[in-house]
Amino acid sequence: MTSTHSPARLSESVYERIKHDIFDFRILPGDRLTEGELAAALGVSRTPVRQALHRLEQEGYLKVAYRSGWNVPPIDFNRLEQLYDLRIVLELAAVRQLCDAQNVPDFSALKNLWLVPKDKRLADGETVSMYDEAFHQDLVLATGNEEMARVHRDITEKIRIIRRLDFTKSERIAATYDEHAKILRFLMQRKAVEVALLLKAHIAASKAEVRKITLHMLHEAHGAARRPRDST
C-alpha cells in the first residue's frame, strides 16, 4: 500500500483493509493491534491507521485495549442470536403491514434484481451479500416507518461481520435468489401468512448457516496460527 492517495482516501483504504482482515479472520478475535505495527505492515503513517482504528472501534469491530492499542472482541454468539431474532420481529411486522396496506408498494426494482432467470443471476458472493441486505432493508423501508427502518439498519450493521459468510457458497446464493423470489411473489399476492412463514424460515436458515461457517473458520484460523512455520 502506498501513501500517494489523499488523506481521506488513504484512511478509507486502511479502514477497508483492516476490516476485511477482521472479516476474513486474518485478524482473529482476541488479537491485539497497535498503530505502529499496522502502519509498518501497511506502509503508511500512523495518522490514517489511527483514524481507521477509531472508526472500527465506533462500529464495534474493535475495543480499546487496557493499556494501549486495540483488541478484536470475541464473537458473542448469544448477542448475535438476539439480534437475528429482533430482525425477524421487525421484518415480520413490516411484511404484515405491506400485505395489509391499501396500495401495493412498487417492487419493480426488487423484481428486476431477484425475479430473473438462473443464467442472469449474480455469482459474486460479496455483491449478492450487499444486495441481500438492500432487499431486506427495502422491505422495511416500504412501510414508511422511519424508526423501524433505523432500528433495522442498526441491526444489519451489527450482524454484517458474520452475515456476509452466508454468501461464500454457491448453493446459498442460489437459495437466496429462490427464497427472495418467493417472498416477493407472496407479497405481491398479499399472502401474509405464506410470506411470514417463508421470511422467518429464510432468516433462520441464514442464521444457522453463518454460525456454522463462523465456527469452522475460527477453528481453521486458530489451527493455522498454532501450527509451527516450516524452518528454512
Side-chain angles (χ1 to χ4, degrees):
M1 181 180 296
T2 65
S3 57
T4 58
H5 302 298
S6 68
R9 291 190 53 156
L10 185 57
S11 176
E12 179 70 20
S13 177
V14 171
Y15 161 82
E16 290 292 342
R17 172 69 179 274
I18 299 173
K19 185 170 73 169
H20 277 95
D21 283 349
I22 293 172
F23 279 13
D24 294 333
F25 299 109
R26 288 188 291 270
I27 298 175
L28 294 171
D31 282 356
R32 181 174 175 274
L33 309 177
T34 66
E35 293 176 12
E37 291 173 348
L38 286 169
L42 298 174
V44 297
S45 69
R46 290 193 178 198
T47 299
V49 171
R50 185 180 305 116
Q51 293 169 342
L53 291 172
H54 279 300
R55 183 174 169 187
L56 289 163
E57 180 200 355
Q58 291 171 356
E59 294 174 357
Y61 298 121
L62 295 175
K63 289 186 176 180
V64 177
Y66 174 66
R67 293 186 179 276
S68 62
W70 282 262
N71 283 336
V72 181
I75 294 176
D76 186 343
F77 284 104
N78 183 57
R79 178 171 179 266
L80 289 169
E81 289 271 345
Q82 294 175 10
L83 289 169
Y84 265 96
D85 290 344
L86 180 54
R87 178 189 161 201
I88 289 173
V89 170
L90 289 173
E91 293 191 30
L92 289 180
V95 296
R96 280 195 296 268
Q97 288 186 35
L98 295 177
C99 288
D100 293 340
Q102 184 174 359
N103 298 315
V104 179
D106 182 8
F107 293 122
S108 299
L110 293 179
K111 287 165 56 180
N112 291 337
L113 182 59
W114 298 104
L115 299 183
V116 294
K118 289 185 178 180
D119 62 343
K120 299 295 184 182
R121 292 178 174 180
L122 300 171
D124 177 66
E126 188 170 347
T127 303
V128 177
S129 175
M130 178 182 66
Y131 283 132
D132 171 71
E133 281 193 9
F135 172 84
H136 290 274
Q137 288 176 334
D138 285 348
L139 295 183
V140 180
L141 284 167
T143 67
N145 188 321
E146 295 182 2
E147 285 303 306
M148 185 186 294
R150 179 186 60 78
V151 174
H152 185 269
R153 184 168 55 251
D154 184 54
I155 293 170
T156 297
E157 292 172 354
K158 287 181 169 64
I159 65 175
R160 183 176 294 137
I161 189 169
I162 67 165
R163 179 179 176 177
R164 66 186 181 82
L165 296 175
D166 197 23
F167 304 95
T168 56
K169 298 180 180 179
S170 59
E171 60 266 28
R172 290 299 302 158
I173 293 175
T176 297
Y177 268 97
D178 293 341
E179 292 164 13
H180 283 190
K182 290 178 183 177
I183 289 168
L184 279 174
R185 291 190 178 102
F186 282 141
L187 272 175
M188 290 183 290
Q189 297 167 15
R190 294 174 179 256
K191 294 185 176 181
V193 174
E194 290 87 344
V195 72
L197 289 173
L198 179 57
L199 182 64
K200 186 175 181 179
H202 170 68
I203 298 173
S206 176
K207 177 176 68 172
E209 185 68 17
V210 297
R211 182 187 179 97
K212 180 176 68 176
I213 295 172
T214 302
L215 288 170
H216 175 73
M217 291 183 70
L218 283 171
H219 176 74
E220 290 292 309
H222 281 295
R226 287 194 297 267
R227 283 194 289 271
R229 297 180 182 272
D230 293 334
S231 59
T232 57

